[in-house]
Amino acid sequence: MRFERQREDMVRQQIEARGITDPAVLAAMRKVPRHLFVSEALRDQAYGDYPLPIGEQQTISQPYIVAEMTQALALSPEDRVLEIGTGSGYQAAVLAEIAFRVYTIERIYPLYTRARKLFDQLRYHNIVMRYGDGTAGWAEEAPFDAIIVTAGAPRIPRVLVDQLAMGGRLVLPVGDQYTQDLIKVYRDENGLHQVNLGGCRFVKLVGEHGWKP
Ligand code: SAM
């Protein structure tokens, strides 16, 4: 009850107030129990307007950035989505509330196993996980209707763009290790297009097509 109220306040004051309007995104943010995706010691801060540490020097993103990136993906219920950077699993759960199936990849083993357990507990049967470097995408399951990268890349990995279906959308932070721009790439019958959605700050995307380990 306490967390439900905090979640409702989060959606009203941080998400709706800043202009997120996609009803599916708002419904998902109202539903997913964000406090279960952080350690017990941080539960009371789970609905605050900031990112939080999740261990292994990684973070769960600020609620607003999760909503902004999810809205930018313009998801439909039949979409298949790839996420690079499972982290706590919160963003994947939000995607799984909206889309048909979510494929998510995490390169840090303890985060991978923790998220996997949580998806089982919360019965997110439409989330498929993989452990390893996600910068090369998931060729066996491509093409995807949407791809989201939740870590900062030095450049747009071409291999991910190549895994976009016709009409597909890719959203990712691109920049140096301190600040990035949130970039949306989409493919239509006229080719590829790119839009800058504004500044953001993420931990590094580390891997073959990201920052070198
Ligand atoms: N989406 C996450 C959530 O909802 O909690 C937040 C992700 S956190 C900001 C970034 C995550 O990307 C970290 O867990 C990090 O280990 C992961 N990551 C970084 N480079 C990666 C790569 N090449 N492949 C897969 N995961 C990666």
Side-chain angles (χ1 to χ4, degrees), residues 52-99:
L52 286 170
I54 54 171
E56 312 292 334
Q57 296 172 325
Q58 304 301 321
T59 51
I60 176 175
S61 303
Q62 175 195 17
Y64 174 72
I65 193 89
V66 173
E68 186 188 20
M69 291 176 85
T70 310
Q71 177 164 276
L73 291 174
L75 296 174
S76 304
E78 64 279 2
D79 282 349
R80 296 166 69 253
V81 187
L82 172 66
E83 180 196 30
I84 322 281
T86 316
S88 69
Y90 176 69
Q91 172 76 73
V94 169
L95 297 169
E97 290 288 343
I98 306 172

Side-chain angles (χ1 to χ4, degrees), residues 54 58-61 83-91 105-108 111 132-135 150-151 202-207:
I54 54 171
Q58 304 301 321
T59 51
I60 176 175
S61 303
E83 180 196 30
I84 322 281
T86 316
S88 69
Y90 176 69
Q91 172 76 73
I105 310 176
E106 173 56 54
R107 70 179 284 275
I108 298 180
L111 297 180
D133 175 11
T135 59
T150 62
F202 276 83
V203 295
K204 279 193 204 170
L205 179 74
V206 180

Side-chain angles (χ1 to χ4, degrees), residues 119-134:
F119 295 150
D120 279 350
Q121 276 168 12
L122 298 175
R123 300 200 164 80
Y124 279 110
H125 300 309
N126 62 338
I127 300 179
V128 188
M129 287 192 83
R130 184 188 243 188
Y131 163 61
D133 175 11

Side-chain angles (χ1 to χ4, degrees), residues 8-117:
E8 181 58 31
D9 288 349
M10 171 192 85
V11 172
R12 286 206 188 145
Q13 294 162 14
Q14 303 170 33
I15 315 287
E16 287 181 321
R18 292 196 187 117
I20 300 294
T21 53
D22 183 333
V25 176
L26 295 171
M29 303 284 297
R30 281 196 160 92
K31 188 166 172 202
V32 178
R34 182 172 162 95
H35 59 281
L36 298 182
F37 292 82
V38 300
S39 66
E40 262 183 74
L42 292 176
R43 266 184 198 162
D44 280 336
Q45 297 178 61
Y47 297 97
D49 194 12
Y50 34 74
L52 286 170
I54 54 171
E56 312 292 334
Q57 296 172 325
Q58 304 301 321
T59 51
I60 176 175
S61 303
Q62 175 195 17
Y64 174 72
I65 193 89
V66 173
E68 186 188 20
M69 291 176 85
T70 310
Q71 177 164 276
L73 291 174
L75 296 174
S76 304
E78 64 279 2
D79 282 349
R80 296 166 69 253
V81 187
L82 172 66
E83 180 196 30
I84 322 281
T86 316
S88 69
Y90 176 69
Q91 172 76 73
V94 169
L95 297 169
E97 290 288 343
I98 306 172
F100 175 67
R101 184 155 294 142
V102 178
Y103 300 83
T104 183
I105 310 176
E106 173 56 54
R107 70 179 284 275
I108 298 180
Y109 195 70
L111 297 180
Y112 162 81
T113 50
R114 202 195 301 156
R116 190 176 190 110
K117 222 164 118 190

